[in-house]
Structure formats: structure tokens, C-alpha cells
Amino acid sequence: MKWEVVIGLEVHTQLTTKSKIFSPASTAFGAAPNTQTAVVDIALPGALPVMNKSVVDKAIQFGLAIGANVRRRSVFARKNYFYPDLPKGYQISQFELPVVEGGAITINVDGVEKTINLTRAHLEEDAGKSVHEGMVGMTGIDLNRAGTPLLEIVSEPEMRSAAEAVAYAKALYSLVTWIGICDGNMQEGSFRCDVNVSVRPEGQKEFGTRREIKNLNSFRFIEQAVKSEVRWQIETIEDGGTIQQATVLFDPDTGETRMMRSKEDAHDYRYFPDPDLPPLVISEEWIERVRSELPELPAAMKTRFESQYSIPAYDAGTLTASKALAAYFEATVAAGADAKLSANWIMGDVSATLNREEKDISECPVSAAALASLIKRVQDNTINNKTAKDVLRKMWETGDAADTIIERDGLKQETDTGAIEAIIDGVLAANAGMVEEFRAGKEKAFNALVGQCMKASKGKANPAVVNEILKQKLA
Amino acid sequence: MFEKSIKQLSAGLAAGEFSAVELATEFLQRAKALNGQLNAFITLNEDLTLAQARAADATRAAGHAGALTGVPLAHKDIFCQEGWRTTCGSKMLENFVSPYSAHVVENIARAGMVTLGRTNMDEFAMGSSNENSYFGAVKNPWDVNAVPGGSSGGSAAAVAARLAPVATATDTGGSIRQPAAFCGVTGIKPTYGVVSRFGMIAYASSLDQGGPIGKSAEDCALLLNVMAGFDERDATSVERATEDYTRDLAQPLSGLRIGLPKEYFAEGLDAEVARAIDAAIAEYKKLGATIVEISLPNTRMAIPSYYVIAPAEASSNLSRFDGVRYGHRAAQYDGLTEMYEKTRAEGFGWEVKRRILTGTYVLSHGYYDAYYLQAQRVRQLLANDFAAGLAQCDVIAAPVAPTAAWNIGEKTDDPLAMYLADIYTLGVNLAGLPGLSHPIGFAGNGRPIGMQLIGNYFAEARLLNAAHQYQQVTDWHTRAPVL
């Protein structure tokens, strides 16, 4: 039997606000336990939550960025359950009326575009953390994270493979970091995915029973977990078993998913509207203010790059993968470099070196202006492409300007035809054999002669000029 | 000294007749002498009190005294007060010393008032008789065999027994008005949102409201001036211009239309209470008021609506008392679940447990619509009733409770009978309206009877004006129990 995989994602993105969603305490990561806690975060008696408006700004930004409906009135509800890292005994979340409804994100798998619809995005607070390290016979509680604002983004079950799930997660990641509502630090838990997976016989309309894989914090884990879960579900059904609705955890060490709790163990969260918080009312003016502050979005920027810089769609797509990369490209062009050459250099040597050094474009030791001055030396024939690669490497290592390195190392390419002619004459005289071969019809010999000429010029001869004169001489 | 109004105390302080320290010392001595009998205070802390009094005297010496600087008061043990044990009448918080202060406490401290102590109350404000306190029942100063009402029974008893000139209190379903009535003092529950709930330990968040209890409407107005005000730390606090609640006290009542809701004077109302209200209404007529009969047809639904909504909110609000971070924790337990179970089983009293269970039930999957949502619909109907009623009159006059104070122990085995006694006060909380209670006489057994005045939203000054005018021509509010 052929099986179809059905996947939906719930992604918890931690919003980049200075203070918590319902308290004035700081959200900074890594402080000593329980030092970033206001009375609300420890849930002292009498403490009350107050909505942080900048959190709402971020939710509106997201809603606008995905073309969703931003609800003019949404409601905070209490999700009741007991756990030591949940100080109030309930989490403030949104249940029936979320702040963002609908919207869509485009993904691209192997060159095929697909639109994934979103169900909703709602605001909620994060819980604290249980601490086991250094505790003997007890568990510690750190409430620094309690009350950190989260936007939970829920997709429709529209992904049909692990690859699509990963592509969706990456596209979402790219978007939330692009618009700056999330810092994207997955190690610190800023972007966590719950993945709902089910399988059904191809052609069947009804969904199969789903299992939810909790808390995946890397794209690689999403891929591994979904593949493992799909394999397990198909095997189970084919062996005559049935799938029970459950929550599972992914173990990166074994590469397998294991049961956390079954549907029978599921909590009754007893949701009800939080009487401490009036409904969140968002005015038209508020939405318009956020819209006016919204940065240009990746899709729009890609289209603009294609027309404004006359670069291919592929280049425009690559360069708009992150806001920092796009900004680097635009700065390079603004500093006078040719657009297509800039694209080539950035997607080529610059990206390759960054990858090798595991650095982000924001950490690139060669500034956009410095790269532009290098590219300009290629454009005006001061150096050739091959020399430029060496110069870039030296710029990377020393931080020196391109012109300084070219001058100091005498890398200026030879364009004087007289001087080049003299070099060629020397090469032809010394390589009579090759000349013979070329004349006998071996085209390869021509390239070998060019190589010899370049070598003789210590790489400084302009290859185009060499080609031209050599052709004339051998004609 | 103990019979003086706030105004008189303030004048005495200003004239140097006595210092804040002397005043506090006198009240403390009386409180200490009588608390064994009445159990009105859970905590008295002479050091903290006198430190505040000395600070008040210093403020006055420096020429910075305000109207209430140095005037003593008692705080209901529900308002968090930095440095003071804040128990909320529960074993759960028996040893909890608050690291921060409620908005109300801060405002009062800023005004220079001196805290005499922390008054007894029903555990987590759940009760109508003050018998649900972990620290023991409060006795009614008029008759130590009678309950003082609840949940602010300690505050009402302290003011009635002249252990404090005024006291803070809270009212979720009648907890200011009913003990004020039972103890023969005056109290007002303001419009929901007028007094910040920040630092006021939550029972039912959408109903809880702080307010003053005093000997007179004037004293209540003066204390309310300090308690009220917008607070950005409470999202349900109403942002509006500050009011002087004494501004209309002197206004004559000619033309005041008093509405009498017929449903409040039907079966179940004790004849003595009904007669006392008739007499009070006659006084109001003499003061120039006119009477209109109105109808609040959904009145009887207030009890089921309240006893769904309040426990629902309470069941969630009290989840934080889990033994993890502060408060009581069971001494012996095996694992997390048992720690929760034993901690909460030991830390909460029966009435609190009953309401947590009720609340948990009505919010459960499959019952939510039938109970919680239905109760919210009824709540809207009750608000509509009041809106229609208040369109026909300026204030509504009503009984506070069906009877005067009952005997201690009389209803403790019958929670339903206790709930039914809240019939006249619950609607005001469900609608979010202001309600005042002032003394209008005594039952044959010598226990006080009060009457309720209900006004439209933010009509506190009007209610205080009416009660004050009544108190200019009657002396019920000046009567004090013999102790």
C-alpha cells in the first residue's frame, strides 16, 4: 500500500522584547536563577499580570507579514495545570480568540513552490525551568524564563513530507528573524517546534490518528524525528496495529521517538477567560502604525532585486535568504560595485569562506565597502579574477584594503600589449612542441600556452589580452 | 478618643493635642485588651506600628503632614504589606511575610496613616460569618455569641469595638456590606475597578473590590479618597480623574429618588429587618427623598450565578498555593503529586476546598457551557436588571442580609443556608456596581441591622452623600457596644 504523510507544525517563537509579557522583569538569557523575576513571575499572592504592549506589536507584525487577519479583539485565557515550573498553576495563553488568524507561507522544496496555510498564531507566556544539575535529592526551580513572551504559530496539516516540514520550519524561521520578532537562537529555545504527524493510505480523505512530537529545536531533529515517526506509524499499521493519539518525545541519541503520554493521560486544562486581563483590543491605528514600521519582506525584496539590479531570480532568492545578507549585497552595490559581480562574489567566495569558518554575514571581516573596492579593481582590469580571489583571502586575514594589498604585493595586472607580446614571444620560443600540437589541431594546446604565458607573467598579465595576442600570433 | 471621627483625630493631631505615637499606643492598648475576647486581629505588631507612628510624627514636625498623617487604621489581612505577616486567614500563609505592598497599602502609607494591625477574615475571603478563619472565629462586639459577618468580619468588629477608627476591607459578594451591617458600622464597596487589586490576594478576580469600613459615611469617604485611584499594575483598574468622595457629603437629599426593588422585600426577609428598613426609608423621606418601586426580576438567580463564577475563578486563583515557592508545605511526602496533595489538604480549610472543588467542576470539559457560560449569561441579565432599575431612580435601597447576625455555629453545618443569606449583596458584585451599608437600628436581641444603598457606576459620592445626610439626623452610627 502507498502511504501519504500528513504533517502540521506548532512553533513556539520567543519574542524579542526587553521585558516579559505580563511583568516588567527582564527577558535576558543566562542570568543567575530567579534574579529576573517580578512579583507576577513568582506568582506571589496578590500579583497581577499587565499586558506588555510591545509584545502585541510583534504579533501584529507577524500577522501582517503572513497576510493574516489581526483580530481587533482577542482574549487571554487561563490554561490550568499543576507543575513546579508553572508558578501560578496556570499559563496565560489565548484559546478561543487568538490575536492572529489565517495567513500563509510559501515554501520551496527542490524548486517546487508550495503554499502552506496557517491556522492561527496566539500569544502566551513561557514557563520556568526545573533545575536538576547540582541538586541532590531535590529539584530546583528557576523562574527567570517564566513569563517570557511566546507567539505560538499553528499551521494547517498541509505538509506531506519531512522535507516539506523542514522547509516550512526554515521559511518560518527566516521570516520571524527577518522581521525581528525572534532572535532565532534555537539552542536557547527561541524557536521550538511541535510536529503533528499522521499517515493515511493514498487517496483516503480522512486523516489518520496523529501523534505529536514535542519540542524539537533543530531542523535536523525535525527531519530525523518525522522520518522515524512516519516509519514507525506505517510499520505499526502494516503489522496490524492501530495508532493511538499520543504525545511523543524525540531522542536524538537513538534517532527514535518515544511515548510521553497517551490521550487518556491528557490534561483537562479547564480554559476560561482570564479575569485579570481585559480583552486585547487592537485599533486600526495601531495596526497601521505597525504596518508603517514593518521592514520590506523577503518576497518583495526578491522581486525588487531582480528588477532593480537585473540579477537572476536564483541570485535574488539566495541574497534575500537573510536580511543581513541582503543588506550586505545592497551596500556592496551602493559602494559602486557591479550588481552581478557583487552577487557572484557574495554567493561565491564570501559565503564559502563564511561557511568554512562557521560565521554569519554579520561577522564577515570584509565589509561591503571593502568588497566593493575589490570588485571595482576587477571591473577596471587592475587585477584579474584569479588574483582577486587571492586578494580577498588576504583582506580576510589582514583586514587590509584591496588597493593596499595590490600595491604592496605588486599584483596589478599587465595590460601593456608590448610587454605582454614580449612574454608571449618568449613562451612560444620555449614551447615549440606545443605550438606544433596546436597547429596539428589540438585545441587544448592553446590553453596550455595561455597558462604558460600567465605563469611567465606571474599571473599579472591580463588573460583577455594574452588570449587575443596569442591568437593573432598563431593564426 | 475612641469615639472620635477621622476628622476629629486629624484635627487633634494638627493641634498637637496628641501625637501619632500617643494615638497609636492608646488604640493598641485597647486592641490588646479586647482582642482575646473578639479575635478581630490576626496580627498586632507594636514595633512596626510605633515605627510608622514615629515616622508620621516626624513628617508632621517637618511640616509635610497631610490630612490623614498619623491617623491609625487596621488592614484586612488580605492586603499584602511589606514586612508584615499576610495570612489571608489561612494556614497556607500562616508564616508568609509579604516582600511587597498592595497598591492600597502603599497609598495609605503615603498618606501617613499608621497600621494598627491585620484584621481577621474568612479564609481567602470565602465566607459570610468569619467562622472560616484558620485563626478562629471573630466575635461580634455587640454579642460575643453572634457572628460578625464575613468575610471582613475582623475589620467590621475592630471598628465597631473601637479598636481602630477605620479599616480596609474587601467585598466579593458582600464581604464589606454584610459585616458592616452585622456590626453596626458603615462600609462601602466601590464600583469594580475604582480600587486597585494589585497586592490584594485574589478570591474571585472579576468580583473582588477593596473598600473602607468606618463608623460613619464621612470616615469611609475620607479613607476611600486614599484607597482609590488608577493603578497601571492592575489591568482592570479604571483610568479616570481622581475624585474627592467627600465633595457631595453636605448636599441636601431633596429630590433624591430612592428605588425599592420589590424582589428584595419578598419572602425570606426577616420582619424586624423589614421594619427597620421602613423606618429608615421614612427618615430619608423626611430628608426630601421620594420613593419608587422598581423590579430586579432576576434577583434569585444571583446566588447560583455567583456560586459558579466565584468558585471557578477561585479554583484557578488558588492554584499558586502549591507548597513550591512560599507558604505551607507538607512535612512528609513521597514525590511531587503527594507533595501537592498533602500541602493543599493540610493548608486549606473546608470552605476553601469546597469552592475549589466546585470551581474545578464547573470549568471541566463538558460542564463549562452548562455552568460557567450560563452563569456569565445570567450575570449579564442581572446587570441589565440594575441598569433598568437605576434608570428609574438615583439610588436603590435594600436590605443587606435577610436577618441580623446569627449565632456562631448556627449555619456552619449547612453551607447552602449560609450561601442563601448572601442573596441581597451578590448582585452588586456581579454587576460591578457600588454598594454601601449603614446602620439603621437593632433587632430585638440587640444585634445591629444595616441597610444597603446601591448606585450606578461611579456613584460612590452619591451613596456617601445619602448615608451622611441620614447620619446627620440619626444616631445609630454613634452607638457603640459595651465591652
Side-chain angles (χ1 to χ4, degrees), chain A residues 202-461:
Chain A
E202 239 177 37
Q204 179 182 302
K205 273 206 177 117
E206 301 77 35
F207 290 127
T209 303
R210 68 188 155 85
R211 303 213 308 166
E212 181 180 17
I213 315 166
K214 276 277 181 202
N215 238 342
L216 297 167
N217 67 351
S218 90
F219 301 120
R220 194 161 47 87
F221 289 168
I222 294 175
E223 180 160 21
Q224 290 174 355
V226 170
K227 283 183 171 164
S228 151
E229 178 65 20
V230 166
R231 198 161 46 235
W232 181 86
Q233 289 193 14
I234 293 174
E235 275 171 17
T236 302
I237 298 171
E238 288 184 341
D239 288 349
T242 50
I243 306 297
Q244 304 296 323
Q245 193 176 323
T247 304
V248 302
L249 288 175
F250 175 68
D251 182 346
D253 294 332
T254 64
E256 285 172 1
T257 51
R258 64 184 158 81
M259 177 103 127
M260 191 169 124
R261 59 171 179 263
S262 71
K263 194 191 178 189
E264 285 71 39
D265 304 330
H267 294 287
D268 178 356
Y269 290 118
R270 306 189 308 280
Y271 281 101
F272 75 107
D274 191 331
D276 286 332
L277 291 162
L280 173 59
V281 174
I282 299 174
S283 66
E284 208 66 47
E285 295 73 49
W286 193 349
I287 293 176
E288 287 316 308
R289 196 223 344 123
V290 173
R291 196 193 301 279
S292 70
E293 290 163 8
L294 203 63
E296 185 180 18
L297 297 172
M301 194 179 271
K302 175 174 176 273
T303 311
R304 177 169 66 79
F305 276 19
E306 287 177 53
S307 60
Q308 182 178 341
Y309 300 117
S310 304
I311 55 172
Y314 175 82
D315 291 17
T318 308
L319 291 169
T320 53
S322 85
K323 205 166 155 186
L325 190 66
Y328 188 90
F329 167 74
E330 291 213 274
T332 308
V333 178
D338 172 73
K340 178 58 186 153
L341 280 180
S342 299
N344 291 349
W345 277 93
I346 292 167
M347 299 186 321
D349 283 51
V350 172
S351 290
T353 314
L354 287 172
N355 282 344
R356 196 163 53 241
E357 296 183 359
E358 294 182 341
K359 277 185 179 150
D360 185 79
I361 187 72
S362 61
E363 304 162 292
C364 184
V366 177
S367 71
L371 180 69
S373 65
L374 173 68
I375 294 172
K376 279 191 278 185
R377 291 298 158 262
V378 177
Q379 280 171 239
D380 67 12
N381 284 325
T382 306
I383 53 173
N384 62 46
N385 222 41
K386 185 167 175 301
T387 307
K389 283 171 185 280
D390 293 334
V391 174
L392 178 64
R393 191 171 43 73
K394 285 178 184 153
M395 291 167 74
W396 203 283
E397 285 160 7
T398 63
D400 291 339
D403 285 339
T404 311
I405 295 166
I406 292 166
E407 193 64 36
R408 189 183 59 210
D409 296 357
L411 299 176
K412 227 173 184 172
Q413 81 181 342
E414 191 54 78
T415 47
D416 176 58
T417 47
I420 291 176
E421 219 176 319
I423 290 169
I424 291 175
D425 286 342
V427 167
L428 290 179
N431 294 281
M434 281 189 197
V435 176
E436 282 303 310
E437 283 177 25
F438 175 73
R439 294 232 156 95
K442 272 188 128 180
E443 290 288 330
K444 263 192 191 165
F446 183 81
N447 291 335
L449 286 166
V450 172
Q452 289 297 323
C453 294
M454 292 305 292
K455 198 175 167 188
S457 75
K458 299 198 180 79
K460 292 193 289 184

Side-chain angles (χ1 to χ4, degrees), chain B residues 333-351:
Chain B
Y333 51 85
D334 186 15
L336 180 64
T337 305
E338 198 180 298
M339 191 277 278
Y340 284 148
E341 286 169 358
K342 286 179 114 177
T343 295
R344 289 168 65 83
E346 294 166 6
F348 291 138
W350 284 113
E351 186 56 32

Side-chain angles (χ1 to χ4, degrees), chain A residues 42-46 78 80 87 268, chain B residues 100 199 316-317 320 325-326 365:
Chain A
I42 351 177
L44 283 179
R78 293 184 182 181
N80 294 283
D268 178 356
Chain B
Y100 81 110
S316 177
N317 282 335
R320 67 188 57 197
R325 299 168 313 287
Y326 53 79
H365 186 71

Side-chain angles (χ1 to χ4, degrees), chain B residues 355-369:
Chain B
R355 295 193 196 190
I356 290 174
L357 286 171
T358 308
T360 303
Y361 180 83
V362 300
L363 289 176
S364 294
H365 186 71
Y367 298 96
Y368 179 81
D369 289 11

